[in-house]
Amino acid sequence: IPCLRQSNGYLRSPELVLTELAQLGIDPDTPVVAYCTGGVRSAFVVSVLVHWGFRTVKNYAGSTWEWSALPAAEYPLERSRA
């Protein structure tokens, strides 16, 4: 997902970010699950996307910390093949 912030800390314009998301096939009806290291930054992303009209956005609050605590045989990891 495109970066939401500018280098000065302000949010980028919704029009710009939404255009970039649309180019990736993501629109306000696309289910989105945000995650980060511990669920804090991803919660920010979720709140911004909801404010911008996304309807099916979720935050994986446990994020990488929870995922990486699982036994290695149970890591729910999928690999994309280009």
Side-chain angles (χ1 to χ4, degrees):
I1 288 192
C3 183
L4 297 178
R5 289 186 310 120
Q6 300 177 64
S7 60
N8 63 6
Y10 287 96
L11 284 175
R12 293 171 67 209
S13 74
E15 296 79 19
L16 181 60
V17 176
L18 294 173
T19 297
E20 291 176 4
L21 289 173
Q23 291 171 349
L24 296 169
I26 302 169
D27 64 36
D29 293 318
T30 303
V32 173
V33 178
Y35 67 94
C36 61
T37 304
V40 177
R41 287 170 294 182
S42 55
F44 171 74
V45 169
V46 168
S47 65
V48 170
L49 291 178
V50 167
H51 180 72
W52 287 350
F54 279 70
R55 294 175 267 293
T56 54
V57 183
K58 304 287 183 195
N59 182 29
Y60 176 21
S63 286
T64 304
W65 287 338
E66 181 179 281
W67 175 83
S68 65
L70 295 171
E74 296 180 31
Y75 284 172
L77 177 64
E78 291 184 22
R79 202 168 187 182
S80 165
R81 301 203 189 267

